[in-house]
Each structure stands twice: as C-alpha cells, then as structure tokens.
C-alpha cells in the first residue's frame, strides 16, 4: 500500500509548519553528507527512445534509416547529437554517451524490469529489488525522515519496487510533481492525531507479537515512516510553489520538467535516489507510428528539463556528487515503418550519463552505419548496473539474503566488464 493510500484509509494526517529559510539550512546539512555518499537521478524514458533520432544519428545512412533530424555539434569537438537537444549540446563536457548498449529483452515490461533490477525475470519466486532500493539500503541514512528512494511522474512501475528488501526500501511514488505528496495537511487537531496514532501503533504491535507475520511488520514500518515523514520539515521539498516562476519555466511546465525540478529539490536535501518517469501510452517514446513529430516534441521537453537540472546541480555545487542517467528500456529499429514509426530494438541503443564525478565529454562504444548492431565495445545490462554502482560507491559484488536465506548478488553476474572509460 502506498503511503498516501494508507493515510487516506486510516484517516491520519498532520500538517507541517512553514519554516522560512528551510532549504538553505537543510541543503547545508545535506552538504555534509555528500562526501560520504553520492546521489542518483534517473530520467526514465518510458517506451524506449530512438537512438537514431537522439544521441546516435547516422546522417550518411539512406533516407529510410536516417530519418528527418539533423545532427548538431556539441561543446566537445567531434561529438554530435540531435538538433532537438541544443541546450544539452552545450553541456556535453559534463556527459558521456554510451552508444553501444546491447540487451536481450524487446518486451516493455521485461526490459524495464531488467534495466531496473539487473535481473531478467523473477527466479525461484524471488522479487528482485530495483537499483533505487539497493541505493536506499546502501546509501540511506537511518536518521533521515524522508524515503531514500522516490519515483516521480506517471508511467509503468515495472521493476521499480523494493522486492525482497521489503517495505523499508520501497519507493515513495509521486504521481504528479506539481501536486507533491497528498494527505499531509492537518484535518484533526494534533492531540487527537497523537491519540489515534498511539492507539493504532499499539494495535499493530499487539498483532505482530501474536502472529509474527511479515505483512504485519511491513504495515507497521509503513505507518511509522509515513508519520515520521509527515512531521519532518523536509517535506517542504515537495512544494514546488516555493520556486520562482522563472525557475519553473526554465524546467518546463509539463510533468517531466516539473519532475526534474522536484528531483533536484529532493537530492538537495539528502534523498539518495530519485527516478523521474517521462511518458505513458500515447505520451511516451513507444513510437511505432508518428516517430518524428512525437520525438521532436518529447526531445524539446527533455532538453529543457534535463539541461536545466544539470545546470542547477552544477551551479549549486551538486553535480560532482549527483549522477544523472537518461535512459529507456531499449532503442528503436533503423527501419522506418509505413506509419512513420520505428519498432522495438534492444540490440544496439544509447544511454547518457552526466555528473556524478564521471569522465565527461566522451562517447563510449560505436554502432554500425545504421545503428542496428554494436560495432565496438558492447555494454550489457550487468556491465551498466555494476558501473552505476561503482560510481555511486556501492559494492556491486555484495549479496543480500532473500527471504528463504539465499544469497542474491546486487549485480547478477560475476563476469562483469565495468565501463572504466567513465569511472574517474
């Protein structure tokens, strides 16, 4: 059960006092933690964006492959990207383009699960944890009152859950960044709320003492963390109205742009892992038809949101410690369909990394002249996952114990080839 659904069902809510200067104080406190651990913001492109129309254009290919878009130069000599990312092109020295991702799953749900967890599917009934939940476990601070993992925006949630790591590392789902987290305002007086909360807590403890049910423990953890969050001044990070209109306009007023702004505010106060979903259904990157008008529109939103995010992180001295990952579940086919679209294509596609202390200003890997296969330096899902863990300071060789006592490695492979080109 999501926190807001639980709070709605139980009738518990508590307002937070308005504190002036809260962000400066909290950000300064969080700055002291940055030396200990890094943060990560994943910009998830639901549906799978076309590598040929974003970060791996093939201007010399035949017309039915290269499509409608032109490449433009970036701030790094020799690196070109789509003309619809002009702002990001100026930030290329902070970024690395992985052009040789090569994966196996061409189904949306299975590929999303694979890219989020590092595992292709459930094995032996085990629900594997998302990378965000791993980060919550490995990088989270016990005293921090907000969840250590947040997922922002509409979109499928395949693979974004905590799996066998349990309720403590479950993400906070925020469906609409502009609305923030619902049901945190007071609808009862504080003394009455306290009595209700203490009564419910005692009922929870009594039930657990009698039955020792894992579901009961998870329910109690959800209750405890929900009330803890409700009482914390850090929840004001969800109030985007505290930002100037000019700032909100720079990010873009759509769901994705405002999600990027919320992600910046969350990592600024200490949340270690945030994912921003872009697109669902007809609003996503699953461009079997009308690929070019949709990709043009979506690229403009990404260029505004992602570029402003990187600029703000840089200007606030946060970029060195915050890894930004732009990715989807796979790429798109070189062949353009009769409906002007591109189909699923996992054999060769692109991911972009920025910040996080990586070696920027480079391209890793190369595809063939039609971007249909990897010609140089193939990168698998486990290679990618292990590299992200290393960048964040997580030991990818560690194991967690599943509910049946089975050791489960954080990354599902002992023969990992790290992307050392990007690791500082």
């Amino acid at each position: 059960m999501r926190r807001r659904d639980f709070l709605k069902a139980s009738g518990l809510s508590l307002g937070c006092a308005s504190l002036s200067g809260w962000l400066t104080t909290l950000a300064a406190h969080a700055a002291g933690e940055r030396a200990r651990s890094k943060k990560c913001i994943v910009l998830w492109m639901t549906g799978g964006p076309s590598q040929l129309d974003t970060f791996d254009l093939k201007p010399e290919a035949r017309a039915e492959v290269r499509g409608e878009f032109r490449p433009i130069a970036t701030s790094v000599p020799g690196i070109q990207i789509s003309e619809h990312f002009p702002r990001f092109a100026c930030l290329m020295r902070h970024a690395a383009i992985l052009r040789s991702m090569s994966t196996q799953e061409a189904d949306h749900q299975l590929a999303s699960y694979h890219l989020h967890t590092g595992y292709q599917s459930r094995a032996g009934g085990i629900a594997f944890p998302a990378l965000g939940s791993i980060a919550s476990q490995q990088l989270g601070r016990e005293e921090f009152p907000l969840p250590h993992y947040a997922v922002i925006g509409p979109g499928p949630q395949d693979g974004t859950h905590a799996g066998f790591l349990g309720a403590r590392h479950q993400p906070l789902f925020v469906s609409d960044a502009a609305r923030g987290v619902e049901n945190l305002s007071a609808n009862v007086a504080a003394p009455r709320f306290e009595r209700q909360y203490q009564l419910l807590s005692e009922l929870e403890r009594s039930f657990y003492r009698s039955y020792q049910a894992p579901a009961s423990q998870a329910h109690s953890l959800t209750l405890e963390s929900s009330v803890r969050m409700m009482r914390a001044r850090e929840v004001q990070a969800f109030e985007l109205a505290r930002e100037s209109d000019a700032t909100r306009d720079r990010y873009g007023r759509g769901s994705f742009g405002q999600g990027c702004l919320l992600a910046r505010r969350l990592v600024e106060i200490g949340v270690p892992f945030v994912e921003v979903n872009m697109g669902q259904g007809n609003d996503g990157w699953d461009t079997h038809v009308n690929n070019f008008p949709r990709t043009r529109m979506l690229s403009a939103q990404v260029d505004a949101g992602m570029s402003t995010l990187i600029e703000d992180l840089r200007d606030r001295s946060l970029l060195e410690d915050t890894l930004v990952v732009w990715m989807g579940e796979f790429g798109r086919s070189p062949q353009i369909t009769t409906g002007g679209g591109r189909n699923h294509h996992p054999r060769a596609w692109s991911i972009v990394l920025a910040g996080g202390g990586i070696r920027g200003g480079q391209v890793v890997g190369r595809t063939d002249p039609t971007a249909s296969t990897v010609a140089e330096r193939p990168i698998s899902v486990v290679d990618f996952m292990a590299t992200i863990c290393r960048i964040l300071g997580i030991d990818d060789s560690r194991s967690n114990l599943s509910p049946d006592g089975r050791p489960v490695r954080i990354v599902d492979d002992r023969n990992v080839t790290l992307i050392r080109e990007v690791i500082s």
Side-chain angles (χ1 to χ4, degrees), residues 132-180:
S133 296
I134 295 291
S136 170
Q137 178 201 45
Q138 298 292 316
L139 305 178
R141 293 179 286 122
E142 185 66 30
E143 72 277 10
F144 189 65
L146 266 60
H148 297 108
Y149 173 26
V151 177
I152 304 167
Q157 297 166 0
D158 305 298
T160 59
H161 294 265
F164 67 79
L165 289 184
R168 189 177 300 278
H169 303 293
Q170 186 73 356
L172 172 68
F173 291 100
V174 183
S175 60
D176 186 342
R179 294 172 62 184

Short mmCIF file of all heavy atoms in Angstrom, two decimals, residues 132-180:
data_model
loop_
_atom_site.label_atom_id
_atom_site.label_comp_id
_atom_site.label_asym_id
_atom_site.label_seq_id
_atom_site.Cartn_x
_atom_site.Cartn_y
_atom_site.Cartn_z
N GLY A 132 17.17 1.56 -7.23
CA GLY A 132 16.82 2.60 -6.27
C GLY A 132 16.67 2.05 -4.86
O GLY A 132 17.06 2.71 -3.89
N SER A 133 16.13 0.85 -4.73
CA SER A 133 16.01 0.23 -3.42
C SER A 133 17.37 -0.22 -2.88
O SER A 133 17.62 -0.15 -1.67
CB SER A 133 15.05 -0.97 -3.49
OG SER A 133 13.75 -0.54 -3.82
N ILE A 134 18.23 -0.69 -3.78
CA ILE A 134 19.60 -1.01 -3.38
C ILE A 134 20.30 0.24 -2.86
O ILE A 134 20.97 0.23 -1.82
CB ILE A 134 20.39 -1.60 -4.56
CG1 ILE A 134 19.81 -2.95 -4.99
CG2 ILE A 134 21.87 -1.72 -4.22
CD1 ILE A 134 20.00 -4.07 -4.01
N ALA A 135 20.11 1.36 -3.58
CA ALA A 135 20.71 2.62 -3.13
C ALA A 135 20.14 3.05 -1.79
O ALA A 135 20.85 3.58 -0.93
CB ALA A 135 20.47 3.71 -4.18
N SER A 136 18.84 2.84 -1.59
CA SER A 136 18.22 3.15 -0.30
C SER A 136 18.88 2.36 0.82
O SER A 136 19.19 2.90 1.88
CB SER A 136 16.72 2.83 -0.37
OG SER A 136 16.12 2.91 0.91
N GLN A 137 19.11 1.09 0.56
CA GLN A 137 19.73 0.23 1.57
C GLN A 137 21.18 0.60 1.83
O GLN A 137 21.64 0.65 2.98
CB GLN A 137 19.64 -1.23 1.11
CG GLN A 137 20.29 -2.23 2.06
CD GLN A 137 20.63 -3.53 1.36
OE1 GLN A 137 21.18 -3.54 0.26
NE2 GLN A 137 20.29 -4.63 2.00
N GLN A 138 21.92 0.88 0.76
CA GLN A 138 23.36 1.07 0.88
C GLN A 138 23.76 2.51 1.19
O GLN A 138 24.79 2.74 1.81
CB GLN A 138 24.04 0.63 -0.43
CG GLN A 138 23.85 -0.84 -0.78
CD GLN A 138 24.58 -1.76 0.18
OE1 GLN A 138 25.73 -1.52 0.54
NE2 GLN A 138 23.92 -2.81 0.62
N LEU A 139 22.97 3.47 0.73
CA LEU A 139 23.35 4.88 0.86
C LEU A 139 22.47 5.67 1.81
O LEU A 139 22.82 6.80 2.18
CB LEU A 139 23.32 5.56 -0.52
CG LEU A 139 24.15 4.92 -1.63
CD1 LEU A 139 23.97 5.69 -2.93
CD2 LEU A 139 25.62 4.85 -1.25
N GLY A 140 21.32 5.11 2.19
CA GLY A 140 20.39 5.85 3.04
C GLY A 140 20.92 6.05 4.45
O GLY A 140 21.73 5.26 4.96
N ARG A 141 20.47 7.15 5.09
CA ARG A 141 20.84 7.45 6.46
C ARG A 141 19.67 7.15 7.39
O ARG A 141 18.55 7.57 7.13
CB ARG A 141 21.24 8.93 6.58
CG ARG A 141 22.50 9.28 5.83
CD ARG A 141 22.83 10.76 5.96
NE ARG A 141 21.95 11.61 5.17
CZ ARG A 141 21.19 12.58 5.64
NH1 ARG A 141 21.17 12.83 6.94
NH2 ARG A 141 20.44 13.31 4.84
N GLU A 142 19.94 6.44 8.45
CA GLU A 142 18.89 5.99 9.35
C GLU A 142 18.09 7.16 9.91
O GLU A 142 16.88 7.06 10.10
CB GLU A 142 19.51 5.18 10.50
CG GLU A 142 18.50 4.55 11.44
CD GLU A 142 17.66 3.48 10.77
OE1 GLU A 142 18.15 2.83 9.84
OE2 GLU A 142 16.49 3.30 11.21
N GLU A 143 18.76 8.28 10.18
CA GLU A 143 18.08 9.41 10.82
C GLU A 143 17.29 10.27 9.83
O GLU A 143 16.55 11.17 10.24
CB GLU A 143 19.10 10.28 11.56
CG GLU A 143 20.02 11.10 10.66
CD GLU A 143 21.22 10.32 10.13
OE1 GLU A 143 21.24 9.07 10.29
OE2 GLU A 143 22.12 10.95 9.55
N PHE A 144 17.44 10.01 8.53
CA PHE A 144 16.78 10.85 7.53
C PHE A 144 15.28 10.55 7.50
O PHE A 144 14.89 9.39 7.37
CB PHE A 144 17.41 10.60 6.16
CG PHE A 144 16.96 11.56 5.09
CD1 PHE A 144 17.27 12.90 5.18
CD2 PHE A 144 16.22 11.11 4.01
CE1 PHE A 144 16.87 13.79 4.19
CE2 PHE A 144 15.81 11.97 3.02
CZ PHE A 144 16.14 13.33 3.10
N PRO A 145 14.41 11.55 7.61
CA PRO A 145 12.98 11.29 7.79
C PRO A 145 12.19 11.00 6.52
O PRO A 145 11.05 10.55 6.59
CB PRO A 145 12.47 12.58 8.46
CG PRO A 145 13.37 13.64 7.92
CD PRO A 145 14.72 12.99 7.79
N LEU A 146 12.74 11.29 5.35
CA LEU A 146 12.05 11.02 4.10
C LEU A 146 12.48 9.66 3.54
O LEU A 146 13.55 9.15 3.89
CB LEU A 146 12.35 12.12 3.07
CG LEU A 146 11.34 13.28 2.99
CD1 LEU A 146 11.24 14.00 4.32
CD2 LEU A 146 11.76 14.26 1.88
N PRO A 147 11.67 9.07 2.67
CA PRO A 147 12.12 7.85 1.99
C PRO A 147 13.41 8.12 1.23
O PRO A 147 13.65 9.22 0.73
CB PRO A 147 10.97 7.53 1.03
CG PRO A 147 9.77 8.21 1.63
CD PRO A 147 10.29 9.45 2.28
N HIS A 148 14.24 7.11 1.12
CA HIS A 148 15.52 7.26 0.44
C HIS A 148 15.41 7.02 -1.06
O HIS A 148 16.43 7.10 -1.78
CB HIS A 148 16.54 6.28 1.03
CG HIS A 148 16.83 6.55 2.48
ND1 HIS A 148 16.38 5.72 3.49
CD2 HIS A 148 17.50 7.56 3.09
CE1 HIS A 148 16.78 6.21 4.66
NE2 HIS A 148 17.45 7.31 4.44
N TYR A 149 14.22 6.73 -1.54
CA TYR A 149 14.01 6.39 -2.95
C TYR A 149 12.65 6.93 -3.34
O TYR A 149 11.65 6.65 -2.69
CB TYR A 149 14.10 4.87 -3.10
CG TYR A 149 13.75 4.26 -4.43
CD1 TYR A 149 13.86 4.96 -5.63
CD2 TYR A 149 13.33 2.93 -4.48
CE1 TYR A 149 13.56 4.34 -6.84
CE2 TYR A 149 13.03 2.31 -5.68
CZ TYR A 149 13.14 3.01 -6.86
OH TYR A 149 12.83 2.41 -8.06
N ALA A 150 12.61 7.76 -4.39
CA ALA A 150 11.35 8.34 -4.86
C ALA A 150 11.22 8.14 -6.36
O ALA A 150 12.20 8.22 -7.10
CB ALA A 150 11.30 9.83 -4.53
N VAL A 151 9.99 7.86 -6.80
CA VAL A 151 9.67 7.72 -8.22
C VAL A 151 8.63 8.77 -8.55
O VAL A 151 7.54 8.78 -7.96
CB VAL A 151 9.15 6.31 -8.56
CG1 VAL A 151 8.77 6.22 -10.04
CG2 VAL A 151 10.20 5.26 -8.23
N ILE A 152 8.94 9.65 -9.50
CA ILE A 152 8.10 10.80 -9.80
C ILE A 152 7.51 10.67 -11.20
O ILE A 152 8.23 10.34 -12.15
CB ILE A 152 8.90 12.11 -9.72
CG1 ILE A 152 9.56 12.26 -8.35
CG2 ILE A 152 8.04 13.32 -10.04
CD1 ILE A 152 10.61 13.35 -8.29
N GLY A 153 6.22 10.95 -11.32
CA GLY A 153 5.59 11.04 -12.63
C GLY A 153 4.84 9.79 -13.02
O GLY A 153 5.06 8.70 -12.49
N PRO A 154 3.92 9.95 -13.97
CA PRO A 154 3.13 8.81 -14.44
C PRO A 154 3.96 7.88 -15.29
O PRO A 154 4.92 8.29 -15.95
CB PRO A 154 2.03 9.49 -15.27
CG PRO A 154 2.68 10.72 -15.81
CD PRO A 154 3.60 11.19 -14.71
N GLY A 155 3.60 6.62 -15.27
CA GLY A 155 4.31 5.65 -16.09
C GLY A 155 4.28 4.28 -15.45
O GLY A 155 3.97 4.14 -14.26
N PRO A 156 4.62 3.24 -16.21
CA PRO A 156 4.66 1.89 -15.65
C PRO A 156 5.72 1.79 -14.57
O PRO A 156 6.74 2.48 -14.62
CB PRO A 156 5.01 1.02 -16.87
CG PRO A 156 5.59 1.95 -17.86
CD PRO A 156 4.98 3.29 -17.62
N GLN A 157 5.48 0.92 -13.60
CA GLN A 157 6.38 0.79 -12.46
C GLN A 157 7.07 -0.56 -12.44
O GLN A 157 7.45 -1.06 -11.38
CB GLN A 157 5.60 1.04 -11.17
CG GLN A 157 5.04 2.46 -11.09
CD GLN A 157 3.98 2.62 -10.01
OE1 GLN A 157 3.66 1.68 -9.28
NE2 GLN A 157 3.44 3.82 -9.90
N ASP A 158 7.25 -1.16 -13.62
CA ASP A 158 7.88 -2.47 -13.71
C ASP A 158 9.32 -2.40 -13.22
O ASP A 158 10.16 -1.68 -13.77
CB ASP A 158 7.87 -2.95 -15.17
CG ASP A 158 6.47 -2.97 -15.77
OD1 ASP A 158 5.64 -3.72 -15.25
OD2 ASP A 158 6.22 -2.22 -16.73
N GLY A 159 9.59 -3.12 -12.15
CA GLY A 159 10.94 -3.19 -11.63
C GLY A 159 11.34 -2.08 -10.69
O GLY A 159 12.47 -2.05 -10.22
N THR A 160 10.43 -1.15 -10.38
CA THR A 160 10.81 -0.03 -9.52
C THR A 160 10.56 -0.32 -8.04
O THR A 160 10.79 0.55 -7.21
CB THR A 160 10.03 1.24 -9.90
OG1 THR A 160 8.62 0.99 -9.78
CG2 THR A 160 10.35 1.68 -11.32
N HIS A 161 10.13 -1.51 -7.69
CA HIS A 161 9.78 -1.82 -6.30
C HIS A 161 10.97 -2.40 -5.54
O HIS A 161 12.00 -2.76 -6.12
CB HIS A 161 8.59 -2.76 -6.25
CG HIS A 161 7.33 -2.14 -6.77
ND1 HIS A 161 6.40 -1.56 -5.93
CD2 HIS A 161 6.86 -1.99 -8.02
CE1 HIS A 161 5.40 -1.09 -6.66
NE2 HIS A 161 5.65 -1.33 -7.93
N ALA A 162 10.80 -2.52 -4.23
CA ALA A 162 11.90 -2.96 -3.36
C ALA A 162 12.11 -4.47 -3.39
O ALA A 162 13.13 -4.95 -2.89
CB ALA A 162 11.64 -2.51 -1.92
N GLY A 163 11.16 -5.22 -3.94
CA GLY A 163 11.33 -6.67 -3.98
C GLY A 163 11.51 -7.25 -2.59
O GLY A 163 10.86 -6.83 -1.63
N PHE A 164 12.43 -8.20 -2.47
CA PHE A 164 12.60 -8.89 -1.19
C PHE A 164 13.26 -8.01 -0.12
O PHE A 164 13.33 -8.42 1.04
CB PHE A 164 13.36 -10.21 -1.36
CG PHE A 164 14.80 -10.05 -1.77
CD1 PHE A 164 15.78 -9.72 -0.84
CD2 PHE A 164 15.19 -10.29 -3.09
CE1 PHE A 164 17.10 -9.59 -1.21
CE2 PHE A 164 16.51 -10.16 -3.46
CZ PHE A 164 17.47 -9.81 -2.52
N LEU A 165 13.74 -6.81 -0.48
CA LEU A 165 14.30 -5.93 0.54
C LEU A 165 13.23 -5.37 1.46
O LEU A 165 13.53 -4.86 2.54
CB LEU A 165 15.09 -4.78 -0.10
CG LEU A 165 16.42 -5.14 -0.75
CD1 LEU A 165 17.12 -3.89 -1.25
CD2 LEU A 165 17.32 -5.92 0.20
N GLY A 166 11.98 -5.41 1.03
CA GLY A 166 10.88 -5.08 1.93
C GLY A 166 10.48 -3.62 1.99
O GLY A 166 11.02 -2.76 1.30
N ALA A 167 9.53 -3.35 2.89
CA ALA A 167 8.87 -2.04 2.96
C ALA A 167 9.82 -0.90 3.28
O ALA A 167 9.60 0.23 2.85
CB ALA A 167 7.74 -2.08 4.00
N ARG A 168 10.86 -1.16 4.02
CA ARG A 168 11.77 -0.09 4.43
C ARG A 168 12.42 0.59 3.23
O ARG A 168 12.78 1.77 3.29
CB ARG A 168 12.84 -0.63 5.38
CG ARG A 168 13.70 0.44 6.02
CD ARG A 168 14.69 -0.16 7.01
NE ARG A 168 14.03 -0.86 8.09
CZ ARG A 168 13.53 -0.27 9.17
NH1 ARG A 168 13.61 1.05 9.29
NH2 ARG A 168 12.94 -0.98 10.11
N HIS A 169 12.58 -0.13 2.13
CA HIS A 169 13.27 0.41 0.96
C HIS A 169 12.34 0.55 -0.24
O HIS A 169 12.80 0.69 -1.37
CB HIS A 169 14.47 -0.47 0.62
CG HIS A 169 15.43 -0.61 1.76
ND1 HIS A 169 16.18 0.45 2.23
CD2 HIS A 169 15.72 -1.67 2.56
CE1 HIS A 169 16.91 0.05 3.25
NE2 HIS A 169 16.65 -1.23 3.48
N GLN A 170 11.05 0.53 0.03
CA GLN A 170 10.07 0.75 -1.01
C GLN A 170 10.08 2.24 -1.42
O GLN A 170 10.24 3.12 -0.57
CB GLN A 170 8.68 0.37 -0.50
CG GLN A 170 7.57 0.40 -1.52
CD GLN A 170 7.65 -0.74 -2.51
OE1 GLN A 170 8.59 -1.52 -2.48
NE2 GLN A 170 6.68 -0.83 -3.40
N PRO A 171 9.93 2.53 -2.72
CA PRO A 171 9.95 3.94 -3.12
C PRO A 171 8.68 4.68 -2.72
O PRO A 171 7.62 4.08 -2.53
CB PRO A 171 10.07 3.86 -4.65
CG PRO A 171 9.44 2.55 -5.00
CD PRO A 171 9.80 1.63 -3.87
N LEU A 172 8.82 5.98 -2.60
CA LEU A 172 7.66 6.86 -2.48
C LEU A 172 7.26 7.24 -3.90
O LEU A 172 8.04 7.83 -4.63
CB LEU A 172 8.02 8.12 -1.69
CG LEU A 172 6.95 9.22 -1.65
CD1 LEU A 172 5.74 8.76 -0.85
CD2 LEU A 172 7.52 10.50 -1.07
N PHE A 173 6.03 6.90 -4.29
CA PHE A 173 5.54 7.22 -5.62
C PHE A 173 4.82 8.56 -5.58
O PHE A 173 3.88 8.75 -4.81
CB PHE A 173 4.58 6.13 -6.13
CG PHE A 173 5.27 4.82 -6.44
CD1 PHE A 173 5.22 3.77 -5.54
CD2 PHE A 173 5.97 4.65 -7.62
CE1 PHE A 173 5.85 2.57 -5.81
CE2 PHE A 173 6.61 3.45 -7.91
CZ PHE A 173 6.54 2.41 -7.00
N VAL A 174 5.28 9.49 -6.41
CA VAL A 174 4.67 10.81 -6.53
C VAL A 174 4.15 10.93 -7.95
O VAL A 174 4.92 11.15 -8.90
CB VAL A 174 5.69 11.93 -6.23
CG1 VAL A 174 5.01 13.29 -6.28
CG2 VAL A 174 6.36 11.70 -4.88
N SER A 175 2.85 10.77 -8.14
CA SER A 175 2.30 10.70 -9.49
C SER A 175 2.35 12.03 -10.22
O SER A 175 2.46 12.08 -11.44
CB SER A 175 0.86 10.18 -9.44
OG SER A 175 0.04 11.04 -8.66
N ASP A 176 2.27 13.14 -9.47
CA ASP A 176 2.24 14.47 -10.08
C ASP A 176 3.17 15.38 -9.28
O ASP A 176 2.87 15.72 -8.13
CB ASP A 176 0.82 15.02 -10.09
CG ASP A 176 0.69 16.33 -10.83
OD1 ASP A 176 1.72 17.00 -11.05
OD2 ASP A 176 -0.44 16.70 -11.19
N ALA A 177 4.29 15.77 -9.89
CA ALA A 177 5.28 16.59 -9.17
C ALA A 177 4.68 17.90 -8.71
O ALA A 177 4.99 18.40 -7.62
CB ALA A 177 6.49 16.85 -10.07
N ALA A 178 3.81 18.49 -9.54
CA ALA A 178 3.24 19.80 -9.20
C ALA A 178 2.32 19.71 -7.98
O ALA A 178 2.20 20.67 -7.22
CB ALA A 178 2.47 20.36 -10.39
N ARG A 179 1.70 18.56 -7.76
CA ARG A 179 0.81 18.38 -6.62
C ARG A 179 1.54 17.87 -5.39
O ARG A 179 1.04 17.99 -4.26
CB ARG A 179 -0.33 17.42 -6.98
CG ARG A 179 -1.27 17.96 -8.05
CD ARG A 179 -2.25 16.91 -8.50
NE ARG A 179 -3.11 16.46 -7.43
CZ ARG A 179 -4.02 15.48 -7.57
NH1 ARG A 179 -4.12 14.83 -8.73
NH2 ARG A 179 -4.77 15.13 -6.56
N GLY A 180 2.72 17.29 -5.59
CA GLY A 180 3.50 16.81 -4.47
C GLY A 180 2.90 15.59 -3.80
O GLY A 180 2.23 14.77 -4.44
#
